[in-house]
Amino acid sequence: MVEKRLLDIRNLDSWYWPIQILHGVNMHLNEGEIVSIIGPNGAGKSTVLKNIFGLISKRKGHIFYKGKNIIKDKASDIVKKGITFVPQGRSVFPSMTVRENLELGAYIKKGDIEAEMKEIFRKFPRLKERQSQKAGLLSGGEQQMVAIGRALMLRPKLMLLDEPSLGLSPQIKKMIFEKVVDINKNEGISFMIVEQNAKISLSLSDRAYVLELGRNKLDGPGKQLLKDPKIQSIYLGGGV
Amino acid sequence: MSIVAQLIANGIIAGSIYALVALGYTMVYGILKFINFAHGEVYMLGAYFAYVLAKVYHVPIVAAFIISMILCAIVGVIIERVAYRPLRKSTRLAPLITAIALSIFLQSLALLVWGSEIRTFRTGEISKGHNILGAIVTDTQLMIIATTIVLMLLLWLFIKKTKLGKAMRATADNLEVAKLIGINTDRVIATVFAIGSALAAAGGILIGIEQNLEPTMGVTIGIKAFTATVVGGIGNIWGAVVGALLIGLVENIGIWFIPSGYKDAIAFVILVIMLIFKPSGIFGSGREEDIRAQGE
Ligand SMILES: Nc1ncnc2c1ncn2[C@@H]1O[C@H](COP(=O)(O)OP(=O)(O)O)[C@@H](O)[C@H]1O
Ligand SMILES: [Mg+2]
């Protein structure tokens, strides 16, 4: 199988002035892959995603998407190129209904979006039941489904998820990750996922990167990293 | 004529005007978390623009009304672009000080251009009253209420049904996420200033027709509309409308109990009481921290 690079990050330096957060980070994602980024708190994982999405102004290096350098693009340009972003935390529009939240996911699209809406409701039947409720009144898991559903409305090529399981119960976590794998398999959407829960994310990822203090530390196929003794001792709860 | 009915009618009429102005405060606050204290002056400008159009250029009143609303929408957009946008990333105090400076500037400008004398649209005859449920209400007053209702309905339709209206609510809910889904939040903010300013202009024109115009007319209305906003829960659009009607009613019923010279003080007292005991407003928007933070 010939792998096609969808995303290629080369030598990325990034600052929250005056502090340099990322130091020469290299990462890539092939079409159809699920790639995760793990690492301790403050390592710069969210900063990598924000860079891809054009949300960081002070930076150097290259980010190629489908072979084109997108380092100068703003978030509004990036969305149009088929990348969507589910940021960390509860990122719904709380005073708007579930349906309105989903509609807004296709904000930049002209024309009918009923087919997309139906599709989201098929994937998350729970959201169909709750469609006229205010998103802010939903449970944490349901809100995360809204955020993911909203990011799916544009039928993106690549989705960036920042800690999608944060603060959710184990069953909901599992359900969210199963959906991700499902969407990846059936629709060919690629995912770049930042996750604290290394065990789940490594086991479902094609490949993964370990980031520490803003630098590449390790990378490889998810299942291989899962067996790596260093990873086991640091991220999987100590080599007991 | 029944006194109680009359006081209630007067309260609703005053409340309608307050509501038109309060909407601008609350919509801007909802997104930018900042109180545009120059908003009262846009109300004043609206009245003068329509006055000049109607009296000097003999434009028919309905056309003068609409043109003035459009002019004020443009003024609002310019104010946001020139005075507030450059300060968006600064401390919360900076735009507040700018707003106060701007408000003094606009008042002085009006004084310079139109002079300090009180003006009126009225041509002499006071329009005759209708007896409605015991209250005497003039044609002009009926027009105030009708215009307010129509404008509120239009606003409601805009916010509920249009794409830009939804983008506006999304931006108020979460500005950062709104950007992520491709909403041009700068354009949304400009729209909010345009709509808020046009509504304030409508209020100013209606008062200009009912009563009169002077360069400082935006000051008291500003405080009252701001109070209405706080009462309804700042940032809450329909709360501001309810708050405005309440202020109008309390003021007008209040002068049944206290000398009418104190009428304008009632809103101040309500404002202070609300800020001390219930800064999040009667609907408890949960945005208490927001309004407290204004004082930081
Ligand atoms: N908006 C910001 N301004 C300044 N520093 C920030 C900002 N966001 C994150 N940082 C800093 O950048 C570093 C990396 O943060 P982040 O990318 O959020 O880490 P992670 O997602 O891996 O936990 C941290 O030291 C954090 O304190
Ligand atoms: Mg993070």
Side-chain angles (χ1 to χ4, degrees):
Chain A
M1 186 176 113
V2 184
E3 290 186 329
K4 216 176 125 209
R5 291 243 164 138
L6 191 59
L7 186 74
D8 202 346
I9 301 173
R10 296 216 199 122
N11 263 317
L12 182 64
D13 293 336
S14 170
W15 287 261
Y16 282 120
W17 196 252
I19 301 168
Q20 184 167 0
I21 306 294
L22 300 181
H23 304 263
V25 167
N26 287 293
M27 288 180 188
H28 71 268
L29 179 145
N30 298 314
E31 211 168 317
E33 272 187 327
I34 300 181
V35 168
S36 50
I37 308 174
I38 62 171
N41 238 327
K45 305 181 297 294
S46 299
T47 307
V48 171
L49 295 191
K50 286 181 191 162
N51 265 290
I52 299 169
F53 216 71
L55 299 168
I56 307 278
S57 46
K58 179 77 184 112
R59 56 189 177 153
K60 251 172 35 195
H62 302 276
I63 302 175
F64 294 100
Y65 176 70
K66 293 185 176 170
K68 287 209 186 69
N69 197 354
I70 56 167
I71 196 100
K72 294 250 154 63
D73 288 17
K74 292 181 309 231
S76 48
D77 307 317
I78 305 279
V79 192
K80 290 186 193 123
K81 292 198 158 89
I83 306 180
T84 57
F85 187 15
V86 180
Q88 201 173 312
R90 300 191 172 185
S91 62
V92 297
F93 299 113
S95 78
M96 306 183 73
T97 65
V98 168
R99 178 176 266 275
E100 286 172 333
N101 266 271
L102 295 176
E103 272 173 16
L104 280 164
Y107 181 76
I108 61 164
K109 205 178 149 219
K110 301 214 158 51
D112 193 42
I113 50 169
E114 270 317 299
E116 282 81 2
M117 186 76 74
K118 254 206 174 116
E119 185 52 36
I120 307 293
F121 286 152
R122 195 189 57 75
K123 284 194 187 78
F124 301 103
R126 189 54 165 259
L127 298 185
K128 186 173 187 181
E129 293 162 26
R130 300 278 158 111
Q131 58 177 300
S132 357
Q133 262 187 38
K134 291 215 162 112
L137 300 175
L138 304 183
S139 72
E142 290 165 340
Q143 292 195 19
Q144 194 58 271
M145 291 179 216
V146 173
I148 293 174
R150 191 180 59 206
L152 281 165
M153 286 292 289
L154 281 178
R155 300 185 188 276
K157 285 290 287 179
L158 170 63
M159 274 175 75
L160 313 177
L161 307 184
D162 197 346
E163 307 218 17
S165 77
L166 194 72
L168 304 181
S169 73
Q171 302 106 284
I172 305 281
K173 267 183 201 175
K174 188 158 164 278
M175 182 273 203
I176 297 267
F177 283 114
E178 279 168 7
K179 288 287 175 202
V180 167
V181 172
D182 204 56
I183 293 163
N184 172 258
K185 289 244 156 53
N186 297 326
E187 292 167 47
I189 296 177
S190 307
F191 283 88
M192 190 168 252
I193 308 176
V194 162
E195 218 0 273
Q196 285 275 322
N197 191 327
K199 200 167 186 169
I200 301 189
S201 58
L202 289 179
S203 57
L204 64 81
S205 300
D206 297 297
R207 291 181 309 106
Y209 291 89
V210 181
L211 202 65
E212 271 182 34
L213 294 170
R215 289 185 166 83
N216 284 80
K217 183 83 180 173
L218 270 175
D219 57 87
K223 301 221 164 64
Q224 186 181 316
L225 288 183
L226 207 51
K227 290 190 207 110
D228 188 299
K230 270 178 286 178
I231 299 276
Q232 289 202 332
S233 65
I234 302 173
Y235 300 107
L236 301 174
V240 190
Chain B
M1 187 184 98
S2 133
I3 284 283
V4 176
Q6 190 63 49
L7 293 177
I8 289 174
N10 292 350
I12 291 172
I13 293 157
S16 301
I17 304 284
Y18 301 159
L20 288 171
V21 183
L23 283 166
Y25 280 112
T26 206
M27 288 196 297
V28 165
Y29 188 90
I31 294 181
L32 294 176
K33 308 290 176 260
F34 129 82
I35 295 152
N36 172 19
F37 277 116
H39 189 55
E41 274 55 53
V42 175
Y43 158 95
M44 176 270 294
L45 286 179
Y48 275 97
F49 287 161
Y51 177 85
V52 169
L53 285 166
K55 290 285 173 177
V56 181
Y57 296 101
H58 307 289
V59 175
I61 186 70
V62 175
F65 198 111
I66 293 168
I67 296 170
S68 169
M69 282 178 74
I70 294 169
L71 288 175
C72 282
I74 295 169
V75 168
V77 171
I78 294 173
I79 288 177
E80 190 274 324
R81 188 69 194 81
V82 176
Y84 300 144
R85 196 181 298 180
L87 298 174
R88 225 182 269 160
K89 290 205 170 78
S90 63
T91 62
R92 298 179 85 151
L93 202 54
L96 213 60
I97 294 170
T98 307
I100 293 167
L102 190 63
S103 139
I104 296 170
F105 168 76
L106 291 174
Q107 271 178 51
S108 313
L109 192 69
L111 200 62
L112 215 66
V113 177
W114 294 303
S116 61
E117 65 265 41
I118 291 177
R119 294 163 191 273
T120 177
F121 280 87
R122 258 176 291 147
T123 40
E125 82 281 17
I126 304 267
S127 61
K128 75 171 175 36
H130 307 271
N131 189 325
I132 297 172
L133 303 169
I136 306 295
V137 183
T138 66
D139 285 339
T140 312
Q141 291 171 333
L142 282 178
M143 185 192 68
I144 290 179
I145 296 173
T147 310
T148 305
I149 291 173
V150 168
L151 290 174
M152 301 276 158
L153 274 176
L154 288 175
L155 179 68
W156 181 81
L157 282 175
F158 171 76
I159 288 176
K160 246 344 201 210
K161 302 285 174 202
T162 69
K163 205 163 172 176
L164 191 53
K166 285 178 191 177
M168 196 176 114
R169 281 189 288 144
T171 307
D173 261 11
N174 196 333
L175 187 114
E176 290 311 314
V177 177
K179 280 185 193 157
L180 297 184
I181 56 174
I183 292 178
N184 182 341
T185 52
D186 281 341
R187 212 182 96 202
V188 167
I189 291 168
T191 309
V192 163
F193 270 83
I195 293 175
S197 302
L199 292 174
I205 303 164
L206 291 171
I207 272 295
I209 296 172
E210 162 76 357
Q211 298 171 1
N212 41 47
L213 295 74
E214 52 183 322
T216 54
M217 65 193 276
V219 180
T220 1
I221 189 93
I223 306 257
K224 290 180 184 179
F226 174 59
T227 306
T229 311
V230 172
V231 168
I234 191 147
N236 180 335
I237 292 185
W238 307 114
V241 175
V242 175
L245 287 171
L246 278 176
I247 300 282
L249 286 169
V250 171
E251 251 182 15
N252 282 282
I253 294 169
I255 54 171
W256 177 250
F257 302 100
I258 57 173
S260 62
Y262 289 109
K263 186 172 165 190
D264 285 346
I266 292 175
F268 282 89
V269 174
I270 296 176
L271 179 60
V272 171
I273 292 174
M274 287 300 293
L275 288 178
I276 294 174
F277 296 105
K278 196 99 178 58
S280 60
I282 47 176
F283 299 114
S285 68
R287 284 189 163 156
E288 203 157 319
E289 69 286 359
D290 289 348
I291 186 130
R292 288 246 165 81
Q294 285 292 315
E296 276 166 16

